[in-house]
Amino acid sequence: MIRLALNTATTRRQWDLREAIEGCQRHGFTAIAPWRDQVEALGVGNTARSIRDAGLEVTGYCRGGMFPAATATLRKAAIHDNQRMISQAAEIGAPVLVLVCGGLVEGSRDLAGARQMVEDGIASIMDEARSAGVRLAIEPLHPMQAADRSCINTLDQALALCDRLDPDTSGLVGVAIDAYHLWWDPQLETQLQRAGSNRLMGFHLCDWLVPTRHLVTDRGMMGDGVIDLPGMADSMRRAGYDGTAEVEIFSDHWWSRPADEVMKVCRQRAAPILDHLHHPS
Ligand code: ZN
């Protein structure tokens, strides 16, 4: 067994959720992070049962967020949708709902306004999250995705949001650290230490390829790109993160390979990184 989660985006073209759960068992992964479309295709109750029966940990449920919208009615709909996801997360045993917060409102140039909508959106789902026992992980996305996917783009910015929403650091609101989105940040080390164990709610692994041909669907396998993943794992450990790392590779290349091969390579490439994450050398 290897203390590693499969984010099911990694094998989404090859496997449905049931096959991904079986794949985790077959390849000795201890955890899974499922996406909503796959959970709803299998059924929330069936998903909960299958994951439990397989003895897998759930690292997070993907994904909530997408708060900015043009009208109050649409913003309210987004909030209701997130509330539904919180109850689904609780049902499938996910301790964390991952938030990809959303970008600019279509046709708008009001970035500050979009960021305020994100803050207001998260604030209005905190009660449900607290009573469901589900934590909210803001995932900062690379700034090139500010317009269309998330206007929360640095760890500093995400943590400032956490400070405002949860000033007591209760652990209800925190961050998911995705190597792909944050590796370039000169403040990464400082901000990881600032986050600390209460706010670090996930560690997503992949690599940054040179050149990167597509921002969303050309992520690299760990070791094939330029990110110092062992170094990042050291920083996460020193900052107090003791959770399970998760492989999350959106890649036209790896989606074209047999999923069992992908799992083998993931396992092999993740092992030395996990050594750094779990064992001080
Ligand atoms: Zn991620």
Side-chain angles (χ1 to χ4, degrees), residues 39-171:
V39 168
E40 291 185 341
L42 180 56
V44 180
N46 275 337
T47 299
R49 217 169 8 258
S50 305
I51 291 176
R52 211 173 35 239
D53 290 350
L56 295 174
E57 174 202 356
V58 182
T59 45
Y61 186 33
C62 299
R63 59 163 166 62
M66 296 294 168
F67 295 107
T71 65
T73 309
L74 289 172
R75 288 193 290 278
K76 203 167 281 178
I79 286 162
H80 285 150
D81 202 41
N82 276 274
Q83 289 166 336
R84 208 154 38 235
M85 286 202 74
I86 287 168
S87 75
Q88 293 176 339
E91 193 172 344
I92 65 169
V96 167
L97 176 64
V98 178
L99 302 178
V100 170
C101 292
L104 285 170
V105 173
E106 211 181 315
S108 158
R109 294 189 175 90
D110 184 5
L111 187 54
R115 286 175 170 152
Q116 189 60 51
M117 288 177 195
V118 168
E119 184 161 345
D120 295 344
I122 299 173
S124 52
I125 60 172
M126 286 174 64
D127 282 343
E128 281 77 10
R130 193 180 294 105
S131 48
V134 173
R135 309 169 82 197
L136 301 172
I138 300 164
E139 181 165 342
L141 259 54
H142 192 286
M144 285 190 78
Q145 298 183 341
D148 55 345
R149 292 169 58 77
S150 179
C151 56
I152 308 300
N153 307 104
T154 65
L155 187 49
D156 177 37
Q157 185 193 6
L159 290 171
L161 197 49
C162 293
D163 287 344
R164 292 196 295 277
L165 291 165
D166 184 26
D168 302 328
T169 320
S170 72

Side-chain angles (χ1 to χ4, degrees), residues 4-25 29 31-42 47 51 56-63 85 92 98 204-205 219 245-251 254-255 259 262-263 266:
L4 182 64
L6 172 70
N7 182 300
T8 62
T10 309
T11 52
R12 66 177 312 139
R13 295 255 174 93
Q14 301 98 317
W15 281 345
D16 63 21
L17 185 51
R18 197 182 290 285
E19 291 167 322
I21 292 167
E22 289 164 5
C24 285
Q25 289 186 291
F29 285 45
I32 194 162
W35 281 68
R36 180 188 202 170
D37 57 334
Q38 293 190 321
V39 168
E40 291 185 341
L42 180 56
T47 299
I51 291 176
L56 295 174
E57 174 202 356
V58 182
T59 45
Y61 186 33
C62 299
R63 59 163 166 62
M85 286 202 74
I92 65 169
V98 178
H204 303 173
L205 301 178
R219 288 183 175 216
E246 156 185 336
V247 176
E248 185 185 33
I249 304 175
F250 299 79
S251 159
W254 290 102
W255 285 331
V262 177
M263 294 293 276
C266 283

Side-chain angles (χ1 to χ4, degrees), residues 115 137-143 150-164 173-179 181-196 199-203 232 235-236 239:
R115 286 175 170 152
I138 300 164
E139 181 165 342
L141 259 54
H142 192 286
S150 179
C151 56
I152 308 300
N153 307 104
T154 65
L155 187 49
D156 177 37
Q157 185 193 6
L159 290 171
L161 197 49
C162 293
D163 287 344
R164 292 196 295 277
V173 182
V175 290
I177 305 300
D178 189 317
H181 294 300
L182 298 179
W183 69 277
W184 57 272
D185 186 347
Q187 280 197 50
L188 181 59
E189 172 71 27
T190 312
Q191 296 300 328
L192 287 174
Q193 305 311 316
R194 169 186 170 195
R199 286 201 168 142
L200 292 174
M201 299 183 180
F203 183 27
M232 211 166 157
S235 300
M236 288 290 286

